[in-house]
Amino acid sequence: MGIVVAIDGPSGSGKSTVSKRVAAELGLAYLDTGAMYRAAAWWCERTGIDLGSGEVDADAVTRAVKTMPLDMGLDPEAPGVVCDGVDIAEAIREPHIAAVVSTVATNLDVRAEMARLQREIVHAESRGGASSFSGGAGIVAEGRDITTVVVPDADVRLLITASEQARLARRALDLEAAGKDVDAAALRDQVLRRDRDDATVSQFLTAPEGVTLVDTSDMNLPETVEHVIDLIETAVDEAAARDAEDDLRAQALRAGLEDYELDEEDLALLEGDEVPEAEEGLESGLPVLAVIGRPNVGKSTLVNRVLGRRVAVVQDTPGVTRDRVSYPAEWAGRRFTIVDTGGWELDVQGLDSAVATQAEVAVAMSDAVILVVDATVGITETDAQVVRMLRRSGKPVVLAANKVDSPAQEGDAAALWNLGLGEPYAVSALHGRGSGEVLDAAMAVLPEVSAVAGPSPEEGSLHRIALVGRPNVGKSSLLNSIAGSQRVVVNELAGTTRDPVDEVIELDGRQWLFIDTAGIRRRVRQTRGADYYAVLRTQGAIEKAEVAVVLLDASEPVSEQDVRVIQQVVDAGRALVLVNNKWDLVDEDRQKMLAWETEHDLAHVAWAPHINLAARTGWHTNRLVRALDAALEGWTTRIPTGRLNAFLGEIQGATPHPLRGGKQPRILFATQVQTAPPRIVLFTTGFLDAGYRRFIERRLREEFGFVGSPIQIGVRVREKRERRR
């Protein structure tokens, strides 16, 4: 855990300059929350809201701020501010913005939204996620409410102040350094008015309990920085001493368990430090073998035969497979990627046309191709057109004559010499007959090093992200949007996607493995055929993922089906991110109703990051990475045993378990036995009510975060050993 330093103070007290200097010297990130409010003012005016007018629609301001595409720089040497792709670091310092920012800053709904965003940034830096500027060292955050509302649990909380005269003098020097004229009367009016406006929603002129007052009236900048660093180092030393004390207390509690009956499993949990490894992602950089053919010739069946298990959805009807789906495979000691495709047809429209396009893309992105033809039917016009398309591609082709189930049918396969692709290999994909010969031929033309696949990602660098939800909520559209291409088939027909589609996508300079899944229907057992198996594949994709991004249709009410999908993710122990898709279809009335539905129907997952976006237009898809990082950090959070027991001792002392049958259950010892998901085991003298376990979970989240992650709390009731006489 990195250190969090929160610094508040009135305008002109020097808190910004001091905070940047301290952050730079200690190697910490720096967050200017005041700049966020100024950016919000700039964005409101950019969207057409006149903040200088006498009457400003507060609701319109709130809506604008909630949709603001803001990217805060955290480098103390150069803390940039980017909004909607525009660098506004200089624009938000203009006198006009300074004059109207209070209209935004005094809006309580805006302050709540800003506090949420600020907490996300602070949490990410303290946890040290992959996108963390400080690498987990910590952050110095300065601005209004930072010590009391935003991060009241910061390691160091300071209120930097100065006399009015000193503050005015410093503001004047800042303006002169920027080459701007200084009007003493206007400056005094601006500073005092800012104090007055901010004081209506925040108390920042006196230090609350737990906040250290630093009066800089008689100190220059180096002296102030040195003093603040001394305070931080003292706080760090005190925290280390508390941790050592907590560890000693935990050791004493652990020793006390020797008086209770413990089985072998208990001892294993107490001694173990097991953290499950993440599932290995799809390998890239391997030679790519595409399986092509017209509909219902047995392509997916052949893929399943190669893989040795039923992975691809198969049904005896045309058009079951729709997307190009990649699977890691191995044959004769060689590893490669096999790509299953939908049936290729000529002159088709709508969904069938999109499926055919995906098949053509699969050919273009392959090193070799297996063309599957139905030997029992012979050469069709579509087969001939497929051959022409393959010849244009220039890719080596192996011809598989499928459905040759017996030697008597091998004559049917021989007729396929007329396609001009060389020897047709007689195959029965259903029974496995001849599949080895086809693969041997494919290995002969498949290169050792792929000419189309990208380099393999670094080991362990790929996080598996499953896109899940009920049918037609926009999962495939979101995948296409963040991939920047038509990676999967999108159609208004519900249930278009059937096979989970893995795609390695680069976001914010990092590679992620996104998995597009079939929509989860309300009653799986009533689903038949390909749709039934598609849902089963989706369930498997959730189990293998690290984070499940559950998409909700924001234009429609939250349904029971949505709640079931979310619960399925929670039950699987995966990290959770909620996405309100189709935000471009949401009007003001629907926004209010959605807020009510979220508060009531989704209250049990209030801990999950929640973002609004429009996959079709790409609006706000850039917010996805921050939400994923937050969820992954919460999913892998580990609480030191000493700190966990100290915390539970505090809450148990303040709020003990209610009496049950004249007895009061006590927590003897607690340990976190696993991350991903976090699992905490409590050794107790009696069973804990479900309500008390929920209370413990809520307090754990308040103290340690666990953003975006379910928490599994296990209770082991143990009896005291009988004393030997």
Side-chain angles (χ1 to χ4, degrees):
M1 288 286 290
I3 188 170
V4 176
V5 181
I7 300 178
D8 201 346
S11 177
S13 62
K15 64 180 183 296
S16 297
T17 305
V18 171
S19 298
K20 284 188 283 189
R21 291 283 187 91
V22 169
E25 291 198 21
L26 297 180
L28 306 177
Y30 165 72
L31 175 63
D32 182 0
T33 62
M36 296 178 70
Y37 284 102
R38 291 190 291 274
W42 179 89
W43 174 250
C44 286
E45 297 221 319
R46 181 183 173 97
T47 56
I49 302 173
D50 185 5
L51 298 178
S53 63
E55 296 183 1
V56 179
D57 187 346
D59 291 337
V61 171
T62 302
R63 289 194 299 272
V65 172
K66 286 185 176 181
T67 60
M68 174 176 58
L70 180 64
D71 184 15
M72 293 295 298
L74 302 178
D75 185 354
E77 301 290 350
V81 183
V82 177
C83 188
D84 199 24
V86 181
D87 186 352
I88 60 172
E90 293 297 327
I92 62 176
R93 300 288 178 182
E94 294 295 326
H96 173 68
I97 297 297
V100 300
V101 69
S102 293
T103 306
V104 174
T106 55
N107 186 314
L108 296 181
D109 292 332
V110 168
R111 298 190 76 84
E113 175 66 13
M114 285 296 190
R116 183 187 66 80
L117 294 174
Q118 292 157 15
R119 278 192 289 269
E120 284 185 1
I121 296 172
V122 170
H123 179 79
E125 287 298 322
S126 65
R127 297 288 180 180
S131 60
S132 166
F133 171 82
S134 66
I139 187 171
V140 178
E142 60 94 357
R144 199 69 68 241
D145 288 344
I146 199 74
T147 61
T148 54
V149 177
V150 182
V151 281
D153 56 345
D155 301 288
V156 182
R157 296 188 293 159
L158 305 176
L159 177 65
I160 296 182
T161 188
S163 65
E164 182 182 311
Q165 183 179 0
R167 292 163 55 201
L168 291 173
R170 291 168 182 172
R171 294 291 293 174
L173 289 174
D174 290 340
L175 291 173
E176 290 176 356
K180 299 177 181 177
D181 296 332
V182 179
D183 185 335
L187 178 62
R188 186 175 187 277
D189 177 70
Q190 178 183 322
V191 170
L192 296 183
R193 179 162 49 82
R194 173 78 179 275
D195 288 349
R196 187 172 57 253
D197 290 341
D198 287 349
T200 62
V201 292
S202 175
Q203 178 56 261
F204 60 92
L205 297 177
T206 57
E209 183 180 355
V211 177
T212 303
L213 181 67
V214 180
D215 192 335
T216 65
S217 301
D218 299 323
M219 289 191 286
N220 58 29
L221 180 59
E223 291 172 340
T224 304
V225 172
E226 183 180 0
H227 182 60
V228 170
I229 290 177
D230 288 342
L231 291 173
I232 294 173
E233 290 176 346
T234 300
V236 171
D237 293 339
E238 291 175 351
R242 287 194 300 270
D243 290 342
E245 185 179 345
D246 292 341
D247 289 339
L248 290 174
R249 184 184 294 109
Q251 291 174 18
L253 292 172
R254 172 66 180 88
L257 282 181
E258 300 298 333
D259 296 334
Y260 291 82
E261 297 284 352
L262 302 177
D263 57 27
E264 293 183 359
E265 188 177 352
D266 293 337
L267 296 173
L269 288 173
L270 291 169
E271 299 298 332
D273 191 28
E274 180 182 354
V275 180
E277 296 181 357
E279 292 281 342
E280 185 179 352
L282 176 69
E283 295 186 66
S284 62
L286 298 176
V288 180
L289 179 65
V291 181
I292 303 295
R294 59 184 179 82
N296 207 35
V297 295
K299 299 181 295 296
S300 297
T301 305
L302 180 60
V303 169
N304 285 339
R305 177 62 58 182
V306 172
L307 298 175
R309 61 192 189 278
R310 186 164 176 155
V311 177
V313 176
V314 174
Q315 189 178 355
D316 192 20
T317 55
V320 173
T321 304
R322 291 164 176 170
D323 299 294
R324 51 188 168 95
V325 188
S326 302
Y327 305 100
E330 184 176 352
W331 178 256
R334 289 188 61 186
R335 295 188 301 160
F336 60 98
T337 299
I338 191 167
V339 182
D340 189 18
T341 65
W344 190 92
E345 294 182 273
L346 186 66
D347 297 331
V348 287
Q349 303 295 324
L351 178 60
D352 294 332
S353 176
V355 171
T357 300
Q358 288 298 314
E360 293 177 10
V361 172
V363 172
M365 299 181 66
S366 68
D367 296 293
V369 176
I370 293 180
L371 173 61
V372 183
V373 180
D374 188 341
T376 62
V377 175
I379 300 174
T380 68
E381 178 59 27
T382 301
D383 292 326
Q385 293 288 349
V386 173
V387 171
R388 295 190 188 98
M389 183 266 291
L390 292 175
R391 283 178 175 153
R392 290 194 299 269
S393 73
K395 301 297 173 71
V397 181
V398 174
L399 179 59
N402 194 28
K403 304 186 182 181
V404 181
D405 299 332
S406 67
Q409 296 176 290
E410 291 186 357
D412 297 334
L416 300 180
W417 278 94
N418 293 325
L419 285 172
L421 295 176
E423 180 182 357
Y425 292 87
V427 179
S428 174
L430 183 63
H431 302 104
R433 184 175 184 271
S435 58
E437 287 79 1
V438 169
L439 286 173
D440 287 339
M443 295 301 104
V445 299
L446 201 64
E448 292 289 339
V449 179
S450 176
V452 293
S456 300
E458 296 180 4
E459 186 177 355
S461 64
L462 284 181
H463 292 296
R464 297 180 65 92
I465 315 299
L467 303 177
V468 298
R470 56 187 173 88
N472 211 32
V473 295
K475 301 179 292 295
S476 298
S477 295
L478 179 58
L479 180 64
N480 287 338
S481 179
I482 59 181
S485 64
Q486 292 299 309
R487 175 60 183 86
V488 289
V489 174
V490 175
N491 194 273
E492 293 181 357
L493 173 69
T496 299
T497 302
R498 283 176 172 155
D499 295 280
V501 179
D502 294 4
E503 181 74 2
V504 178
I505 297 174
E506 183 171 321
L507 294 176
D508 283 5
R510 295 146 57 198
Q511 288 186 319
W512 307 75
L513 181 63
F514 281 87
I515 309 163
D516 184 24
T517 65
I520 299 177
R521 301 179 181 274
R522 183 174 300 181
R523 296 177 177 85
V524 178
R525 294 183 179 180
Q526 296 181 8
T527 307
R528 294 291 183 266
D531 292 332
Y532 173 78
Y533 291 105
V535 174
L536 293 184
R537 300 292 193 276
T538 297
Q539 294 171 347
I542 293 174
E543 295 287 345
K544 293 180 179 180
E546 296 172 69
V547 184
V549 177
V550 178
L551 278 81
L552 309 171
D553 189 340
S555 64
E556 298 179 0
V558 175
S559 66
E560 180 186 353
Q561 194 175 353
D562 292 321
V563 177
R564 288 176 183 267
V565 173
I566 293 170
Q567 191 59 47
Q568 185 175 339
V569 173
V570 174
D571 293 342
R574 304 300 97 180
L576 174 65
V577 173
L578 297 177
V579 170
N580 285 327
N581 191 28
K582 305 185 183 182
W583 198 256
D584 50 330
L585 305 179
V586 176
D587 57 21
E588 185 178 341
D589 292 337
R590 177 59 193 147
Q591 287 185 30
K592 295 178 180 177
M593 183 57 67
L594 184 60
W596 186 91
E597 292 168 0
T598 301
E599 183 179 350
H600 289 78
D601 297 338
L602 304 179
H604 62 297
V605 288
W607 40 264
H610 210 140
I611 57 177
N612 306 320
L613 55 82
R616 184 176 61 86
T617 63
W619 181 81
H620 271 188
T621 54
N622 59 327
R623 292 188 173 183
L624 191 58
V625 171
R626 182 181 293 177
L628 292 174
D629 279 336
L632 284 166
E633 289 160 15
W635 199 54
T636 55
T637 294
R638 177 176 289 279
I639 309 173
T641 303
R643 182 72 190 96
L644 177 61
N645 281 277
F647 174 72
L648 291 176
E650 292 171 4
I651 66 173
Q652 188 172 221
T655 311
H657 193 286
L659 289 172
R660 291 292 181 265
K663 296 182 179 179
Q664 188 173 63
R666 288 187 303 109
I667 300 174
L668 300 170
F669 186 76
T671 180
Q672 184 176 348
V673 298
Q674 163 184 309
T675 61
R679 182 178 173 228
I680 295 171
V681 174
L682 308 178
F683 292 86
T684 68
T685 60
F687 187 74
L688 302 184
D689 290 348
Y692 197 76
R693 292 199 302 271
R694 287 194 296 270
F695 164 71
I696 291 175
E697 179 183 341
R698 178 172 58 82
R699 292 299 308 275
L700 284 170
R701 294 190 183 279
E702 292 174 356
E703 182 70 15
F704 302 105
F706 292 107
V707 176
S709 175
I711 303 175
Q712 299 174 353
I713 298 178
V715 178
R716 290 177 172 259
V717 181
R718 293 297 175 258
E719 298 288 339
K720 206 163 188 177
R721 293 180 191 271
E722 293 184 4
R723 298 196 178 197
R724 294 182 179 178
R725 297 182 179 178

